[in-house]
Amino acid sequence: MTASRSAVPRPDAHVHFGVFFQGVNHTTIWSDSASGSQIDFETFRRLVLTAERGLFDAFFLGEGLRLREQNGKILDLDIAGRPDAIAQLAALAGITDKIGLVATQNTTYNEPADLARRLSGLDLLSDGRAGWNAVTTDNAWTGENFRRGGFLDHSLRYERAGQFIETARALWDSWADDAISDSRTSENWSTPGAVGDVRRQTSQFDISVTPTLPRSRQGHPVIFQAGDSPSGRDFAATHADVIFSRHGTHFDGALDFADDIRARLRKAGRPEDDVKILPSTQIVLAENEPEVEEKARWVLEGQFTGQTALSLVGLVWGKDLSDRDPDGPLPEEDPVARPVSETRGSARDGNDPIAIAREWRALAEAKNLSLRQVAIETSQRSGFAGTPGQVADQLVHWVRNGASDGFNISPYLVPTGLDEIVDWLIPELQERGAYRTEYSTSTLREHLGLRPPLTRRTTSEAAG
């Protein structure tokens, strides 16, 4: 924070913002009186318009193909489904002018010809503002929704994803730049021979397609990717335009991640600034410094209700604890050493549950904590908390020192969770010369300062 301007790697870099709407989850305080519906259009409308008023780059929708479960039952704390992301974003395209619209879509349980067409449709309807968060999955419980079931081995998920994106790009490139006539006196609406067939025969796909849509002004939808494993990082360095990372809290870890991605980009033959990094983060603001700790604690306690705490601690103990008092002690019995349902992931992070229980009991005894208080105390703190000026300084430090290019903000309340960020934080960033004061570009690719799509670059553009 005290480094001189000349020592800062990117002294003029601006902070980019996206907003990530996840749907129901315990980090969104859906039970608060200020929270709106998680599925009504009004919630999406208000949130996206606030983000556009704040000159955000993108509105980013999560996607869920199956309701999450615990102990073989639908998780009551997390039951609301999500409207189809592309359908929702197409509706939002009609009420917005500039903000990018990013749909999370699965490469494991979609097909390239269909998904590329739907994404292209969103890109055209929004006049070049579409993005695609390309995700993979290998779990059988999602696969049960589909005829093939959990058909894809873990080792093949990125192989399929890479072939999927390469095929989608070929489909988007199949129309010539002058395919549509610009004259009403022409004999044909489209130039004869300007639309090419796409044939792909790979280990995952065997298709022959004549694509039905031309490209938008931005060339291709912007491709986001969120994998953090070595395979995921290599995949991003090869295929992505933007990385949606989980390194949005600790500067050193974020910088290590960004440095690793830059090294992988160089190895892949791309300029090291060819991918923008936008980690997921949470921002809690208070107008005055004495209020910061109280506000952060209020958010944390809202995220960890009694039932949520019992559910999360139950993942460690390997059993249903819903009949216990969350304000009582931790269970006296040791955890059950069995796999945790992958429908919710594991709270153990690969560690021995009995060792975790021993550590948590020692913490509870030392600080006289209840089960719920232990769940809060041992949770991973997410993001930034402070006054608008304090948080602005931190975000500028991150971006100008290369730890990220901006942040994908997960509001702890929807649809009101961006109000303070737009009204308090963004003016502080603008005063520091680190945030746009108006949209000077029109497409999502331009907002993010990205080069043309990988398959549509000149030699000089490819070299950076």
Side-chain angles (χ1 to χ4, degrees), residues 46-98:
R46 179 169 175 181
L47 192 63
V48 76
L49 291 180
T50 301
E52 189 166 65
R53 178 169 66 85
L55 308 175
F56 277 47
D57 291 83
F59 180 83
F60 188 116
L61 278 180
E63 181 73 293
L65 296 176
R66 188 177 174 98
L67 293 177
R68 286 188 285 189
E69 303 170 9
Q70 186 168 2
N71 301 317
K73 300 177 181 178
I74 297 298
L75 183 65
D76 293 340
L77 300 171
D78 188 28
I79 195 169
R82 303 167 188 169
D84 175 73
I86 294 178
Q88 188 71 272
L89 293 174
L92 296 178
I95 63 169
T96 55
D97 297 311
K98 297 290 186 181

Side-chain angles (χ1 to χ4, degrees), residues 24-51:
V24 176
N25 63 91
H26 84 270
T27 59
T28 301
I29 310 175
W30 54 264
S31 58
D32 189 86
S33 60
S35 183
S37 167
Q38 299 285 316
I39 55 176
D40 285 353
F41 184 75
E42 175 60 20
T43 296
F44 295 87
R45 184 195 71 83
R46 179 169 175 181
L47 192 63
V48 76
L49 291 180
T50 301

Side-chain angles (χ1 to χ4, degrees), residues 20-21 59-65 82-86 89 101-107 110 115 118-119 131-136 224 226 244:
F20 179 39
F21 187 100
F59 180 83
F60 188 116
L61 278 180
E63 181 73 293
L65 296 176
R82 303 167 188 169
D84 175 73
I86 294 178
L89 293 174
L101 304 165
V102 183
T104 299
Q105 295 289 296
N106 197 300
T107 61
N110 278 293
L115 182 56
R118 291 191 288 124
L119 288 166
W132 170 23
N133 179 35
V135 298
T136 70
F224 289 64
F244 174 38

